[in-house]
Amino acid sequence: IFICTGIFIGIVRTQLVEEKTNFVCSVSCTFDAKITSSPKTKNEYQIFKIHNLETDNTIYDIQVRTPLYPKYSIGERITLSGKVTEANIVFPHTIENKKQKVFDYASYLQTKNVGSEMYYPKIEVLDAEINSLEESLGRWKEDMVSRINMYVSAPASSLASGMLFGATSMSEELTQTFRVSGLSHIVVLSGFNIAILIAGVLFVLTFLPLILRIVIASITVIFFVMMVGGEASVIRATLMAFIALLATAIGRAYVAHQALILSFFFIIM
């Protein structure tokens, strides 16, 4: 019943919300934009999302790929010059029965509110003014990651940044090593990180009443999610953590699979 209700409300929502479109520039164009996500470092480049300031909220964001340097930060206003292309690349994957399975890259990016891409445009930074709490928390996360990289040598610095803040800066070779060993889940944000955060807050504030500790822990988790970005795994873990805190507050037992079903329902809603 829960799932059917969620699907029904989702269908109604799609009829009421205006469909977004992609911003595309087949020839080189220049426009002002704002960086809306913390840059992620790959082997030879960095990627981040921008919002074209010359458009409204009915336009998808643009994913930008640039060289590793200079470094950019969330909240910066920049001027970009280059081509903006549709994100319609489909990568084939060969599976066991030798058939090719395609990956709809464009739909994958749309789940992240991205509709088009720019590759190595010319960028000029206008200012770095911070206008929201989310940008302030994101800038703080970037500062913490840079401090880890400064005082901890690689690859331990990449591992620490991934475990603490979900900053995916590991090399492709190291990432593949974690996949093969079955340990890739420890370097991405999940329920493990949320559980440690809540346990730490509850332990430090043992002198306060239980309800107050739970409220402070919940607020801390919300700030943490805003800081690291609302990935699907983080949202799911956060919802399950809130259910666990609610069970603790009312003196009920926490059952993981029931919390998972409820979090799934809330995500659908």
Side-chain angles (χ1 to χ4, degrees), residues 30-260:
T30 302
F31 59 92
D32 293 342
K34 188 170 188 177
I35 300 178
T36 58
S37 68
S38 295
K40 294 183 179 180
T41 303
K42 302 298 183 180
N43 280 352
E44 300 175 349
Y45 59 88
Q46 57 179 321
I47 57 174
F48 51 84
K49 295 192 300 182
I50 62 169
H51 178 69
N52 188 345
L53 296 177
E54 300 173 6
T55 60
D56 54 23
N57 291 328
T58 61
I59 304 297
Y60 281 112
D61 288 344
I62 304 169
Q63 181 170 274
V64 179
R65 178 181 297 189
T66 67
L68 288 176
Y69 299 97
K71 294 290 187 180
Y72 299 98
S73 298
I74 185 173
E76 287 184 333
R77 289 182 63 250
I78 56 178
T79 298
L80 301 97
S81 299
K83 294 182 179 181
V84 184
T85 59
E86 291 270 8
N88 55 2
I89 305 173
V90 177
F91 297 99
H93 296 274
T94 303
I95 53 180
E96 293 180 358
N97 57 5
K98 304 303 180 182
K99 293 182 179 180
Q100 286 191 333
K101 184 178 180 181
V102 296
F103 173 58
D104 192 346
Y105 185 59
S107 297
Y108 166 75
L109 288 182
Q110 285 184 357
T111 64
K112 301 179 179 296
N113 197 42
V114 173
S116 50
E117 297 179 297
M118 292 188 77
Y119 290 91
Y120 303 98
K122 180 181 177 181
I123 300 178
E124 178 184 355
V125 179
L126 300 178
D127 62 62
E129 182 181 357
I130 298 177
N131 297 320
S132 68
L133 176 61
E134 184 177 0
E135 292 175 1
S136 299
L137 293 172
R139 190 72 61 85
W140 184 56
K141 182 195 76 171
E142 294 174 2
D143 181 63
M144 296 294 290
V145 171
S146 65
R147 289 176 183 272
I148 291 174
N149 294 332
M150 182 183 302
Y151 295 108
V152 181
S153 59
S157 58
S158 300
L159 179 61
S161 300
M163 293 180 67
L164 294 174
F165 303 107
T168 55
S169 58
M170 293 191 302
S171 65
E172 186 63 31
E173 180 182 359
L174 184 59
T175 302
Q176 186 61 28
T177 301
F178 273 93
R179 290 197 187 116
V180 172
S181 62
L183 298 174
S184 58
H185 61 280
I186 71 172
V187 294
V188 295
L189 290 175
S190 61
F192 176 73
N193 308 76
I194 302 295
I196 290 179
L197 180 63
I198 292 176
V201 173
L202 295 178
F203 176 77
V204 171
L205 302 177
T206 51
F207 57 91
L208 295 177
L210 178 61
I211 297 299
L212 185 57
R213 283 191 290 156
I214 290 175
V215 171
I216 295 176
S218 301
I219 295 174
T220 303
V221 169
I222 292 174
F223 284 161
F224 179 77
V225 172
M226 293 175 62
M227 179 179 67
V228 301
E231 297 290 338
S233 60
V234 180
I235 296 299
R236 186 266 308 159
T238 302
L239 290 173
M240 294 184 67
F242 284 161
I243 295 172
L245 289 173
L246 178 62
T248 302
I250 62 179
R252 297 289 296 273
Y254 172 73
V255 182
H257 72 270
Q258 293 180 359
L260 181 62

